[in-house]
Amino acid sequence: MHSRTAEKIAFLDSEIAGLRTRIGTGGNSVQRAKLKMLRDIREDYQKPIEAVARHDKGGDE
């Protein structure tokens, strides 16, 4: 796992929160697409962390 993964996840979390604020209850299709993309990227960074945690607990690899 990359040593700066936690920092990248924190950055993505702040970007997602900011975009949610800008979108509010409406937003346009470009903003919604960007939000989905950022969530997907964040999920991709989170998966290895969860896998390591499961492995450390003796769960599935």
Side-chain angles (χ1 to χ4, degrees):
M1 179 172 41
H2 194 274
S3 63
R4 298 187 69 190
T5 300
E7 292 174 25
K8 291 177 181 183
I9 289 174
F11 172 78
L12 288 165
D13 285 342
S14 66
E15 288 292 307
I16 290 168
L19 186 54
R20 280 186 188 151
T21 300
R22 288 190 298 279
I23 290 175
T25 58
N28 61 44
S29 62
V30 172
Q31 289 171 317
R32 289 188 297 273
K34 182 176 180 181
L35 183 59
K36 182 183 181 326
M37 178 193 66
L38 289 172
R39 287 178 178 161
D40 290 346
I41 293 169
R42 190 203 182 284
E43 184 179 312
D44 288 344
Y45 276 110
Q46 187 66 37
K47 285 178 185 177
I49 292 172
E50 292 169 354
V52 168
R54 279 193 310 272
H55 183 269
D56 289 348
K57 286 184 177 181
D60 296 330
E61 291 185 31

